[in-house]
Amino acid sequence: MIHKTAAELGALIAAGEVSSVEVAEAHLDRMAEAEPKINAFLHVDRETTLAQARVVDDRLRSGERLGPLAGVPVAHKDIFATRDMPTTAASKILEGWRPPYDATVTGRLREAGLVILGKTNLDEFAMGSSTENSAYGVTRNPWDLTRVPGGSSGGSSAAVAAYEAPLSTGTDTGGSIRQPASVTGIVGMKPTYGGSSRYGLIAFASSLDTPGPFARNVLDAALLQEAFSGHDPLDSTSIDAPVPSVVEAARTADVAGMRIGVVKEFAGEGYQPGVLARFHEVVQLLESLGAKVVEVSCPSFATALPAYYLIAPSECSSNLARFDAMRYGLRVGDDGTRSAEEVMALTRAAGFGPEVKRRIMLGTYALSSGYYDAYYGQAQKVRTVISREFEAAFHQVDALVSPTTPTTAFPIGERADDPIAMYLADLCTIPSNLAGNAAISVPCGLADEDGLPVGLQIMAPVLGDDRCYRVGAAVEKALESRWGGGLLSKAPAL
Ligand code: GLN
């Protein structure tokens, strides 16, 4: 059961061949076996999960028409508000907090009949690339338990790669869906900014945060994206425009005649040789499938990382001001002798981890009077230049490709004391966050040096999400026959 795709499970449940409760039980059993090693989940409650599955079974039995994923389990990143489960963003400052409402993404999962298996681990407030910044312990990569599963949505990527869930949700602010998908050998998609709702998502950098899906194959990811995305009046940056069907695109799986650009700046020095080897092979594969491949130069992409590390911390310093010891979660030192300011300072000092504090300080500095123009203002100009470069590139080609991340999964601890090395994991993913366009990571093989998964990033224009799925599915289809049984069948058994 746990090896089936989400589409297959949905079809079996719809046909009445298996119940949603049985599918949930199989995954809960798998979690009981895998979690001691993986630690993908922060919160699991068997009874709440089975109760949801029973409701879906009843709805289906009574003849209600639900979507293609009705009854299928999903692991949900613990940054989305869930009214029946704790929501912590992996921070001590939110320990024990239960939101009084559901995020839009959560609500749509429920409406489509998906069953939430639990809440997954992440870097605190989604700041990081390894889950090592979680206040509740690191998640381990199912391919090699001594390595990170990527981040910030590392619990979600590991859960899917370890067959604990067929689907999971993530958020991508600078690469937090694509990079973990890449290093765990699964599919992860960052939709167009504004294509999926931020309502009820704990904010990190509001102009960048984008919910998206993880799955073990391209079609499943498309089905999940279609289930929870679309216009939401509760999110002021939500796009109210018709979007091409990503499910149809995933089924098309054809690149004949498409123009595909290789980003020249993202495939040279500093990249792991095994990553480059798989990337160059997959570019050739695209050509053999009938795509017209050209090299495209995007020189400003090299400035995306420094610009991001001014813009994202600036927004985070403002967003995280709401954790003031009065409204949510933790409150430290409130013994009647201290002022509100003192309680606030003590609570924030105790509740936030070191990376979150670093970002708040960086952002506060970048926004402060006298420095604003030189840092935040300058970074915003760079952002505009990057968007224009994307636009120019998309006049030339239908999609751009690059490796998703410069290296395969790195060992736990290796970059923990070196923030710059950690930040470099998102070198290739950040430009699409700054410009808001769609981008996906699909597996393209294993690196020779370490036998670990390599991801191909496919970037498409704003609202061109369908192109990511179309190209991704074509690559998947062509490689599947070579791998036989899918890339994950090569992962060492847990
Ligand atoms: N790793 C990047 C950061 O730390 C991106 C995180 C994300 O996309 N949420 O900011």
Side-chain angles (χ1 to χ4, degrees), residues 440-462:
I440 198 169
S441 179
V442 296
C444 65
L446 304 178
D448 300 318
E449 306 86 41
D450 48 26
L452 292 169
V454 176
L456 167 71
Q457 177 177 229
I458 303 151
M459 296 164 270
V462 168

Side-chain angles (χ1 to χ4, degrees), residues 260-265 293-297 396-397 400:
I260 292 181
V262 175
V263 180
K264 186 174 145 211
E265 286 76 13
V293 178
V294 293
E295 197 176 74
V296 175
S297 177
Q396 252 181 289
V397 294
L400 291 167

